[in-house]
Amino acid sequence: MKKQMAPDTEPLWSLRAVSYQYSAEGERVLTDRQRQDLMRIGMRVRLPARMMVYREDSPALWVFAITDGAVKCYRDLPSGKRVVGAFLFARDLFGLAENGQYLNCAQTLTVTTMYRLPIGDLAALLKHDADMQFKFLMKVTHELREAQRRAILISRRDAAGRLAMFISQMEARECPSGHAHVVALPMTRSDIAGFLSLSLESVSRAAAELEQRRLVRFENLHRARIIDPEAFARLVAAV
Amino acid sequence: MKKQMAPDTEPLWSLRAVSYQYSAEGERVLTDRQRQDLMRIGMRVRLPARMMVYREDSPALWVFAITDGAVKCYRDLPSGKRVVGAFLFARDLFGLAENGQYLNCAQTLTVTTMYRLPIGDLAALLKHDADMQFKFLMKVTHELREAQRRAILISRRDAAGRLAMFISQMEARECPSGHAHVVALPMTRSDIAGFLSLSLESVSRAAAELEQRRLVRFENLHRARIIDPEAFARLVAAV
DNA sequence: CGTACCGTTGAGCAGGCTCAACCGCTGTGG
DNA sequence: CCACAGCGGTTGAGCCTGCTCAACGGTACG
């Protein structure tokens, strides 16, 4: 799906965000100049699958911007439960910190390419380039909206409904390049369970239920196909 | 708790946020100049309790900054359930929008004073003043962290634990001016239920349980006192 | 070929939800 | 002044769904 471009300009990336205002997609893309500035302060890193990017409570030195691949952010609770805070894909930022420490662990799901931006340099750059900073502000605002959507997702009681909403959200964030109604799920069932606040058995049963109801087919563990879009959409909307 | 100041400078406000980096609280406060700029584009509004500030899907014309009082943001789902997305207090921003429309309803809980900032003017101001914009970026980042904390809260199964975490979070966001271990809860039980994804009966029972276990006393419907801070903290931490 | 990990399926339990009645306060109108 | 309705909150009974524990299956890898 990559466009043809010279090798040295290949690792360009942008930010995925919907504006708070009407806009002609203008806020979604960084200018070439801004990308170059970010590439200058950042370092391109390519990590294999299941690699830790950072750990909770470790010093927060970088913010990461994904160009390709998938990452999960999670926390392990004292009880042993693992809460997945977010799944992140191309054009997403991660590395949320507080008082200089990361708040969660980040781990790649697949082979992932990202830009590693030193936090201090990034802050200086943003303070200097108000326009780019505005795009980052839009991006974080976008993440906040996603977090609220997730709160609505979690408010559902039925496991099948939660899973359906999750698949729907994954479909929505796919690039339009992907085939319609085929959703990639690079994470494990256990990860999904941690994200949906369900036991992994419940996720498994919910998946079975969606198949029995002929709404979704799981072509394999990491790919779902929505085979009855109308009924599926009804279930998703029946919050 | 108000400091003595001239009447026309009384409605100054700031933003409540913890920096992602180490800082000497420097990021938390707007400069006098920045406050003046905001006051110039904004309008001070004082609303009675239970007043709608805006409705879902209505045109998003303003962002609001609370100087005093309490607000809830919520969404009514097709099923009739009401999901409370956030409770907001002094020095908080609200008015999250997408494509020019608000994503939820906002309603005052108590008498509330706020600044109403036209979104276009605010965006222009932020693009012009990178330093102030950075403080807004910190603020939204702060909100994102809060949203993640809430996800952890919701991952708990037991109602008493959820309520305890909620009370703990309310205590944490109280100004240090408030008396220790006395937590104001300006919202109704029903609002809390909507926030915690519980039925309001469960909230009521959870409150009774906290009292029976001698952790908390509810002096009245809107004020809780933590009477056994150590045991309470253990319950909160037992995620 | 054995091990380990991930996922599935089953049985029984527990905790929260629903429905329903009741309490206490408030505001209103006769 | 009192009677009444309405609302928010509490408490109880029974149901339902997701959790826990457990066994089993399939696939990748040494």
Side-chain angles (χ1 to χ4, degrees):
Chain A
M1 290 302 131
K2 283 174 191 166
K3 289 178 186 162
Q4 297 164 5
M5 42 177 71
D8 61 332
T9 60
E10 183 267 334
L12 293 184
W13 51 269
S14 182
L15 298 176
R16 185 169 53 82
V18 177
S19 173
Y20 67 101
Q21 277 182 314
Y22 303 103
S23 85
E25 310 285 299
E27 309 293 353
R28 298 181 63 175
V29 185
L30 298 170
T31 66
D32 287 345
R33 170 61 189 272
Q34 288 170 344
R35 285 190 201 121
Q36 284 164 22
D37 286 344
L38 287 169
M39 287 169 66
R40 196 169 55 247
I41 67 167
M43 183 175 175
R44 187 162 172 266
V45 182
R46 190 169 176 82
L47 296 178
R50 303 185 187 193
M51 174 73 67
M52 291 297 303
V53 184
Y54 58 77
R55 291 181 191 281
E56 195 177 339
D57 294 332
S58 60
L61 305 176
W62 300 290
V63 169
F64 300 86
I66 304 177
T67 60
D68 189 65
V71 169
K72 68 173 170 183
C73 285
Y74 65 90
R75 273 189 69 170
D76 286 317
L77 302 178
S79 63
K81 268 190 188 171
R82 171 167 294 184
V83 181
V84 176
F87 295 112
L88 302 148
F89 304 95
R91 299 163 68 203
D92 283 336
L93 295 173
F94 68 100
L96 195 62
E98 186 172 74
N99 292 323
Q101 294 191 324
Y102 290 118
L103 287 176
N104 47 36
C105 303
Q107 189 178 9
T108 59
L109 295 171
T110 60
V111 186
T112 303
T113 309
M114 62 189 79
Y115 262 81
R116 206 178 64 182
L117 305 163
I119 257 179
D121 294 347
L122 177 61
L125 182 58
L126 293 181
K127 283 179 180 169
H128 182 258
D129 182 348
D131 185 61
M132 177 153 65
Q133 188 185 176
F134 198 75
K135 286 159 186 172
F136 273 71
L137 182 58
M138 291 301 97
K139 178 60 179 169
V140 179
T141 305
H142 180 83
E143 290 298 320
L144 193 54
R145 282 191 295 256
E146 294 280 319
Q148 293 210 356
R149 287 209 180 83
R150 188 186 167 196
I152 289 169
L153 190 163
I154 297 292
S155 78
R156 294 190 74 150
R157 178 126 304 271
D158 58 319
R162 282 196 203 180
L163 181 59
M165 281 189 82
F166 175 70
I167 293 171
S168 172
Q169 289 183 11
M170 284 296 119
E171 187 196 14
R173 77 188 320 174
E174 294 259 329
C175 301
S177 57
H179 289 77
H181 303 312
V182 176
V183 186
L185 302 172
M187 65 294 291
T188 67
R189 295 285 186 267
S190 186
D191 291 333
I192 297 175
F195 185 79
L196 299 182
S197 287
L198 291 172
S199 68
L200 90 158
E201 294 95 329
S202 290
V203 173
S204 188
R205 280 186 255 266
E209 184 181 334
L210 292 182
E211 284 211 310
Q212 280 162 9
R213 290 168 66 179
R214 309 282 177 197
L215 301 176
V216 176
R217 264 208 62 184
F218 292 90
E219 307 191 335
N220 61 55
L221 281 177
H222 296 298
R223 176 153 55 237
R225 178 185 294 274
I226 300 168
I227 53 177
D228 188 344
E230 292 82 23
F232 182 78
R234 274 197 301 275
L235 174 59
V236 168
V239 185
Chain B
M1 290 302 133
K2 283 173 189 165
K3 289 179 187 164
Q4 298 164 2
M5 43 178 69
D8 61 330
T9 60
E10 184 266 335
L12 295 183
W13 51 270
S14 182
L15 298 175
R16 186 170 51 82
V18 178
S19 173
Y20 69 102
Q21 277 182 314
Y22 303 103
S23 84
E25 311 284 300
E27 309 294 354
R28 298 180 62 175
V29 184
L30 298 170
T31 66
D32 287 345
R33 169 61 190 271
Q34 289 170 344
R35 285 189 200 120
Q36 285 164 21
D37 287 344
L38 288 169
M39 287 168 65
R40 195 168 57 246
I41 67 167
M43 182 176 178
R44 188 162 170 264
V45 183
R46 189 168 177 81
L47 296 179
R50 303 185 187 194
M51 175 73 70
M52 292 296 302
V53 183
Y54 58 77
R55 292 183 191 279
E56 194 177 338
D57 295 331
S58 60
L61 305 175
W62 300 289
V63 169
F64 300 86
I66 303 177
T67 60
D68 189 64
V71 169
K72 68 173 170 184
C73 285
Y74 65 89
R75 274 190 68 169
D76 286 317
L77 301 178
S79 63
K81 269 191 188 172
R82 172 166 293 184
V83 181
V84 175
F87 296 112
L88 301 148
F89 304 94
R91 299 163 69 203
D92 283 336
L93 296 172
F94 67 99
L96 196 63
E98 186 173 73
N99 292 323
Q101 294 191 322
Y102 290 119
L103 287 175
N104 45 36
C105 303
Q107 190 179 9
T108 59
L109 296 171
T110 61
V111 186
T112 303
T113 309
M114 62 189 79
Y115 261 82
R116 206 179 64 181
L117 304 164
I119 254 179
D121 294 347
L122 178 61
L125 183 57
L126 293 181
K127 283 179 180 169
H128 184 258
D129 182 349
D131 185 61
M132 177 154 66
Q133 188 185 174
F134 198 76
K135 286 158 186 172
F136 273 71
L137 182 57
M138 292 300 95
K139 178 59 178 169
V140 179
T141 305
H142 181 83
E143 290 299 320
L144 192 54
R145 283 191 295 257
E146 294 281 318
Q148 294 210 355
R149 288 210 180 82
R150 188 185 166 195
I152 290 170
L153 191 163
I154 297 292
S155 78
R156 295 189 75 150
R157 179 126 302 269
D158 57 319
R162 281 195 203 181
L163 181 59
M165 281 190 83
F166 174 70
I167 294 172
S168 173
Q169 289 183 11
M170 284 296 117
E171 188 197 12
R173 77 189 319 173
E174 294 260 327
C175 302
S177 58
H179 289 78
H181 304 311
V182 176
V183 186
L185 302 171
M187 64 295 289
T188 67
R189 295 285 187 266
S190 185
D191 291 334
I192 297 175
F195 185 79
L196 299 182
S197 286
L198 291 172
S199 68
L200 89 158
E201 294 95 329
S202 290
V203 173
S204 188
R205 279 186 255 265
E209 184 181 334
L210 292 182
E211 284 210 310
Q212 280 163 8
R213 290 167 65 177
R214 308 284 177 195
L215 301 177
V216 176
R217 264 208 61 184
F218 293 90
E219 308 190 336
N220 61 54
L221 280 177
H222 295 299
R223 177 153 56 238
R225 179 185 295 273
I226 300 167
I227 54 178
D228 188 344
E230 292 82 22
F232 182 78
R234 274 197 301 277
L235 174 60
V236 169
V239 187

